[in-house]
Amino acid sequence: MLSVQVKPAIYPAPAASGQQARNPSAAFPHYRPGRIDHSPPAVPVAKGATLLDLTRLQSIICTTRKVKRGNALYRTHDPFDSIYTVRAGCFKTVITHRDGKEQVTGFQFMGEALGLDGLCTERHNCDAIALEDSEVSVIRFALLASLCHQVSSIQHHFYRVLSGEIVRESSHMMMLGTMSAEQRVAAFLLDLSVRMKARGYSPVDFYLRMTREEMGNYLGIKLETVSRMFSKLQKQGLVDAHGKQIRIVNPLGLSRV
Amino acid sequence: MLSVQVKPAIYPAPAASGQQARNPSAAFPHYRPGRIDHSPPAVPVAKGATLLDLTRLQSIICTTRKVKRGNALYRTHDPFDSIYTVRAGCFKTVITHRDGKEQVTGFQFMGEALGLDGLCTERHNCDAIALEDSEVSVIRFALLASLCHQVSSIQHHFYRVLSGEIVRESSHMMMLGTMSAEQRVAAFLLDLSVRMKARGYSPVDFYLRMTREEMGNYLGIKLETVSRMFSKLQKQGLVDAHGKQIRIVNPLGLSRV
DNA sequence: CGCCGTTTTGAGTCTAGTCAAAGGTGGTGG
DNA sequence: CCACCACCTTTGACTAGACTCAAAACGGCG
């Protein structure tokens, strides 16, 4: 399978300062089917894509956009015309209920897609906020669609990206619907671990980009509860947390919480 | 916009016996963008689709399949080769965690799509169980894909169906993450109300196809809690529930819970 | 008519939420 | 470089809402 290497498989110590190493070769949304997949640190571009396909692919993502920490890549009701992949930094997506309540629906790291929700109504359906100074590839949807039409392998890859989003959300619903607070935090850390590993970072030692409040909102619990659960997992010797710096001491134990 | 009428806009009393009136013209998954949409009782087939397109569309969904109550249309890990739309009856989709916990991720009524989760890994990712004797249109994915390739309006409609699924799941996550038990039940009834209306049934008077347990599982609460919330809403004069027969007395009040 | 699965209701328990206060951390400007 | 400020995090005490267990009532079906 043709694929683009995302990172060398060495583990740079996560820069506590906030700025991650960039990698200009993350060309297309990484296809990540739920939390089961332990994919290698490579981004499958499209099964059977030829070099020509790749050249075309590059041509439609020539633009990038920088988003400062706390700023929005797009907001709810913005007209939809592009999808994005994270090149550097990370984002959260938030939907807002009319009564003002907010729900964080996901966190997106390097190589992951943003904006797929907008396709449905031609307007974006959530806010995408940068959690640190970030950069995205901008993929104009009209161009992507025409490329999909020309190259069936890319078409199918795009279907999979969309479907993968559906599967990922199902798994999030499962968490919100059935797990205790402790299990949610444990599952969250393990999910991050898998994603860090897939990006060539250490799966046991990473720096959280989001606050306890954002985490809690994503997990459907309050920030104080998140904090208590971190303390609890720490007492059990499963993780070692100093603020946002996380070390997973016992992954197996964590998965059995 | 070319569209196919689903039902006459009269309200047949829901058959408490279990068998709904069938309608052979529900040809393609109904595109339902979240819970905001109060769409008319018509199924948009594809913006700008021509009559020729429709003929082609009919040709790929010639097969139907009947599923008896309690039986599965497909199960997790079944190989994916088709998507489905509900012609009659209704379904629930359930994902199962390795520890045996289950989460109902959705209920599907006439005109709604099933199986989109399978695209991602070529295997289905949940169980689809009939809640009553039901019938689906079987759409072989390979054929749909080739049709999408030939007819761009159908292609774009399919993108919207996929994206709509993502948006709907986001809204479900919001419910699971932020609402009280009472609000969940109220929101659930209002969602059903909108969907019933879109199908030409009464939006205030309908028969639930699922048990309290299935509802509770979907809503992330226990069956006893569902029952208590029904009693509470009834005391407030917002709904009138006799077992599975529901009458929404005060929709506005219900939306303000 | 009786059985089985479903629903309702009650009483007691426990998890997570709320409110409050103290302790950290990082970023900014002097 | 340090001090200050704003924001984030931790912890405690108390409360509220949902869960558990239990039993009775209901409803559909053979």
Side-chain angles (χ1 to χ4, degrees):
Chain A
M1 192 209 300
L2 235 164
S3 61
V4 176
Q5 205 67 19
V6 164
K7 293 284 297 179
I10 44 171
Y11 301 147
S17 67
Q19 199 63 0
Q20 280 187 356
R22 301 219 174 136
N23 190 309
S25 63
F28 201 74
H30 176 43
Y31 154 56
R32 184 165 52 82
R35 58 182 56 211
I36 309 102
D37 184 46
H38 290 247
S39 48
V43 172
V45 168
K47 273 180 190 166
T50 67
L51 217 52
L52 178 61
D53 301 343
L54 284 183
T55 311
R56 287 188 190 157
L57 197 55
Q58 296 288 359
S59 74
I60 66 168
I61 58 163
C62 51
T63 59
T64 64
R65 190 172 140 195
K66 288 179 198 295
V67 186
K68 282 237 172 274
R69 173 190 169 135
N71 287 351
L73 172 60
Y74 56 80
R75 289 199 178 272
T76 309
H77 304 313
D78 281 359
F80 164 83
D81 56 14
S82 300
I83 62 175
Y84 309 89
T85 71
V86 181
R87 294 203 134 220
C90 79
F91 288 81
K92 64 172 176 180
T93 46
V94 187
I95 55 180
T96 308
H97 198 248
R98 40 190 156 63
D99 66 6
K101 274 184 301 204
E102 295 191 340
Q103 173 72 34
V104 174
T105 55
F107 298 108
Q108 292 77 28
F109 300 106
M110 194 176 58
E112 294 176 352
L114 275 166
L116 298 172
D117 56 282
L119 239 160
C120 151
T121 52
E122 307 280 316
R123 292 189 175 273
H124 284 291
N125 216 277
C126 62
D127 298 354
I129 312 288
L131 295 180
E132 55 181 320
D133 293 357
S134 301
E135 190 177 341
V136 296
S137 300
V138 181
I139 305 176
R140 292 198 52 87
F141 180 68
L143 293 173
L144 176 62
S146 96
L147 188 70
C148 280
H149 188 255
Q150 292 166 55
V151 187
S152 73
S153 59
I154 292 180
Q155 174 69 84
H156 280 79
H157 182 62
F158 186 51
Y159 286 151
R160 284 198 197 91
V161 169
L162 284 161
S163 175
E165 195 66 25
I166 293 171
V167 171
R168 194 165 319 115
E169 291 195 345
S170 299
S171 135
H172 189 193
M173 282 194 273
M174 156 78 81
M175 188 188 64
L176 292 171
T178 69
M179 291 187 182
S180 69
E182 188 181 9
Q183 291 174 320
R184 292 180 201 204
V185 174
F188 178 65
L189 291 177
L190 289 171
D191 179 53
L192 284 186
S193 174
V194 168
R195 289 158 78 176
M196 289 298 148
K197 187 176 182 182
R199 270 152 202 80
Y201 296 106
S202 166
V204 297
D205 205 337
F206 46 85
Y207 186 82
L208 298 174
R209 251 66 223 204
M210 67 294 291
T211 67
R212 297 286 190 260
E213 182 164 26
E214 287 162 335
M215 237 183 288
N217 191 316
Y218 174 75
L219 297 173
I221 56 184
K222 294 290 155 188
L223 69 105
E224 296 95 329
T225 305
V226 175
S227 180
R228 279 183 236 279
M229 292 309 126
F230 269 113
S231 304
K232 192 170 176 185
L233 293 173
Q234 190 143 1
K235 274 200 200 83
Q236 294 172 262
L238 299 175
V239 303
D240 190 8
H242 292 96
K244 290 183 161 135
Q245 186 61 50
I246 303 292
R247 158 160 284 167
I248 297 181
V249 178
N250 182 353
L252 196 65
L254 205 55
S255 70
R256 282 205 276 252
V257 161
Chain B
M1 190 210 300
L2 233 166
S3 62
V4 176
Q5 205 67 20
V6 164
K7 294 284 297 178
I10 44 172
Y11 300 148
S17 68
Q19 199 64 1
Q20 279 186 357
R22 299 213 177 146
N23 190 308
S25 64
F28 202 74
H30 176 44
Y31 153 56
R32 182 167 51 82
R35 57 182 56 210
I36 309 104
D37 184 47
H38 290 248
S39 49
V43 171
V45 169
K47 274 181 191 163
T50 67
L51 218 53
L52 178 61
D53 299 345
L54 285 183
T55 311
R56 286 190 190 158
L57 198 53
Q58 296 288 0
S59 74
I60 67 167
I61 57 162
C62 52
T63 58
T64 64
R65 189 172 140 195
K66 289 179 197 293
V67 185
K68 282 237 172 277
R69 172 191 169 134
N71 287 352
L73 172 60
Y74 56 79
R75 290 199 176 273
T76 309
H77 304 311
D78 281 359
F80 165 83
D81 55 15
S82 301
I83 64 174
Y84 310 89
T85 73
V86 181
R87 295 202 135 221
C90 81
F91 289 82
K92 65 172 177 179
T93 45
V94 187
I95 55 178
T96 308
H97 198 248
R98 41 190 156 62
D99 65 8
K101 275 185 300 206
E102 295 191 340
Q103 173 71 32
V104 174
T105 56
F107 297 108
Q108 292 77 28
F109 300 106
M110 195 176 57
E112 294 177 350
L114 274 165
L116 298 172
D117 56 282
L119 240 160
C120 149
T121 50
E122 306 280 315
R123 292 190 174 273
H124 284 291
N125 216 277
C126 62
D127 297 356
I129 312 288
L131 296 180
E132 55 181 320
D133 293 356
S134 302
E135 189 176 341
V136 296
S137 298
V138 181
I139 305 175
R140 293 199 50 89
F141 180 68
L143 292 173
L144 175 62
S146 97
L147 190 69
C148 281
H149 188 253
Q150 292 165 55
V151 186
S152 74
S153 59
I154 292 180
Q155 173 71 82
H156 280 79
H157 181 62
F158 185 52
Y159 285 152
R160 284 197 197 91
V161 169
L162 283 161
S163 175
E165 194 65 27
I166 293 170
V167 171
R168 195 165 318 116
E169 291 195 344
S170 298
S171 135
H172 189 193
M173 279 194 274
M174 157 78 81
M175 189 190 64
L176 291 171
T178 69
M179 292 185 180
S180 69
E182 189 180 10
Q183 290 174 320
R184 292 181 201 203
V185 173
F188 178 66
L189 291 177
L190 288 171
D191 180 53
L192 283 186
S193 173
V194 169
R195 288 158 78 177
M196 288 300 148
K197 186 176 184 182
R199 270 152 202 79
Y201 296 106
S202 167
V204 297
D205 206 337
F206 46 85
Y207 187 82
L208 297 174
R209 254 59 228 208
M210 67 294 291
T211 66
R212 298 286 190 260
E213 182 164 26
E214 287 161 336
M215 236 182 290
N217 191 315
Y218 174 74
L219 298 172
I221 55 185
K222 294 290 156 186
L223 68 106
E224 295 97 328
T225 306
V226 175
S227 180
R228 280 182 235 278
M229 293 309 125
F230 269 112
S231 304
K232 192 171 178 185
L233 293 173
Q234 190 143 1
K235 275 201 198 82
Q236 295 172 260
L238 299 175
V239 304
D240 190 10
H242 292 97
K244 291 184 160 135
Q245 186 61 49
I246 304 293
R247 156 158 288 168
I248 297 180
V249 178
N250 182 353
L252 196 64
L254 205 55
S255 70
R256 282 205 276 252
V257 162

